[in-house]
Amino acid sequence: MSASGGTRAIVAALAANLAIAAAKFVAFLFSGSSSMLAESVHSLADSGNQGLLLLGGKKAQREATPQHPFGYGRERYIYAFLVSIVLFSVGGMFAIYEGYEKISHPHPIEAWYWPVGVLLFAIIAESFSFRTAIKEANQIRGGLSWTAFVRRAKAPELPVVLLEDFGALIGLVLALGGVGLALLTGNGVWDGIGTLCIGVLLILIALVLAAETKSLLLGESAGVEDVRKIEAAVVDGETVTGLIHMRTLHLGPEELLVAAKIAVQHDDTAAEVARAINAAEERIRDAVPIARVIYLEPDIYSEKKAAEGDDPAKTPGGTGH
């Protein structure tokens, strides 16, 4: 996995979540708080998710085979999608079930100092993990807002860790609020309400993750900036006189497929066209290094056919991306 995959952020989140999960479960055993049980399962689910992300990154590094000629880069998308399923089923649904049970059969919280102390510890640990993820993301985020970064990122690991850590911090605040209100009022129902809120939060985050990773699995084109760089790199004004149309597709976070029909001079020889294509491929790779699979088809540009064509992507003079 490349640095942009956020390996450091994943490892930091994994270490924090394992420690937090153990502490929360101990607090649940001593206090009987359903919020603490839900949060311990939440942290265990997050730990499993980070393990899935690391496994996906490892599997994505396998070499291409005759059966999978474009390699295994999309393994990272598959495992990120599995993360959303785990977060929804194990974390969110379990928390909702526990919250319902606690509201239906409330009981007071015992040894209050255990859940409060563990929650404060967990907030500190999660803040450290979240800070690491933010630092890793800032290295590649550029001028994008956080919302735009999560939606446009081609490497799924950092958005997943960012959303998980953000959700974990909010969940800890909800758990602390539920425990605090249960202690202040002596009514265990508040603990159950806090648990329900945690469940709803986890399901919402899981749905966002599922939607974003689904788009990556279906196949996304290159970003706007990379498309512009490729367009500028293709044409040399001599042998390659124009770009008729182009398609791009991410085979993985760091591997891009480029397929384009380019306009060449009508009197160029086959050898000249072949040299022009090779030169164009080099320019594209220099401009966008992740463009590793490139197919360029030469054609003769025709303004008349371009004007008459119903589908620009299928006419010699058409345009499209």
Side-chain angles (χ1 to χ4, degrees):
M1 189 185 303
S2 71
S4 63
T7 305
R8 183 183 301 176
I10 299 174
V11 173
L14 177 60
N17 280 316
L18 287 174
I20 291 169
K24 288 174 180 176
F25 191 71
V26 170
F28 159 71
L29 292 177
F30 280 95
S31 66
S33 167
S34 67
S35 290
M36 293 309 305
L37 179 59
E39 275 295 305
S40 65
V41 173
H42 175 191
S43 294
L44 279 175
D46 282 353
S47 300
N49 289 342
Q50 276 102 49
L52 286 172
L53 292 177
L54 291 172
L55 180 61
K58 184 69 175 177
K59 284 184 172 291
Q61 294 174 1
R62 289 178 293 170
E63 295 293 330
T65 65
Q67 187 177 8
H68 297 92
F70 292 113
Y72 293 85
R74 289 196 183 184
E75 289 268 18
R76 289 165 66 177
Y77 300 154
I78 293 171
Y79 280 85
F81 188 75
L82 289 176
V83 164
S84 66
I85 296 174
V86 171
L87 195 63
F88 176 88
S89 58
V90 178
M93 297 306 292
F94 179 83
I96 287 180
Y97 170 76
E98 277 298 315
Y100 172 78
E101 284 293 312
K102 187 60 181 284
I103 292 173
S104 301
H105 308 93
H107 56 79
I109 295 175
E110 302 173 0
W112 62 270
Y113 42 85
W114 274 100
V116 172
V118 167
L119 286 171
L120 292 175
F121 161 74
I123 288 174
I124 294 172
E126 286 288 1
S127 297
F128 169 77
S129 174
F130 193 39
R131 177 175 174 272
T132 302
I134 289 174
K135 287 178 64 177
E136 291 283 298
N138 280 335
Q139 295 178 13
I140 59 175
R141 185 167 63 98
L144 294 175
S145 66
W146 287 108
T147 301
F149 173 72
V150 170
R151 297 194 64 181
R152 297 183 189 178
K154 305 304 180 184
E157 291 84 3
L158 276 174
V160 168
V161 173
L162 283 167
L163 286 174
E164 278 189 350
D165 286 350
F166 179 68
L169 284 170
I170 295 178
L172 289 168
V173 172
L174 291 173
L176 190 60
V179 170
L181 287 172
L183 292 172
L184 288 173
T185 63
N187 188 349
V189 169
W190 286 108
D191 188 27
I193 292 174
T195 308
L196 276 178
C197 291
I198 293 169
V200 172
L201 171 69
L202 293 179
I203 289 174
L204 289 175
I205 292 176
L207 292 175
V208 172
L209 286 177
E212 294 304 318
T213 51
K214 173 191 172 185
S215 178
L216 292 170
L217 277 172
L218 288 174
E220 290 190 355
S221 64
V224 175
E225 187 62 31
D226 282 344
V227 169
R228 289 173 181 166
K229 290 179 181 179
I230 294 171
E231 289 175 345
V234 168
V235 180
D236 64 0
E238 297 177 3
T239 308
V240 181
T241 59
L243 175 64
I244 297 175
H245 65 78
M246 180 175 71
R247 297 286 185 271
T248 60
L249 177 69
H250 268 274
L251 301 174
E254 283 93 33
E255 189 168 14
L256 186 67
L257 181 149
V258 179
K261 180 173 285 192
I262 58 176
V264 296
Q265 302 287 356
H266 72 279
D267 55 353
D268 287 337
T269 66
E272 289 173 332
V273 171
R275 285 195 296 270
I277 289 175
N278 291 334
E281 289 179 354
E282 289 183 12
R283 293 194 299 273
I284 291 172
R285 290 191 175 97
D286 288 340
V288 181
I290 66 171
R292 299 177 187 173
V293 182
I294 303 174
Y295 298 106
L296 300 180
E297 177 187 353
D299 204 342
I300 306 300
Y301 179 78
S302 169
E303 291 185 1
K304 181 179 179 181
K305 289 184 178 180
E308 294 175 352
D310 295 327
D311 186 352
K314 294 182 179 179
T315 60
T319 59
H321 308 300

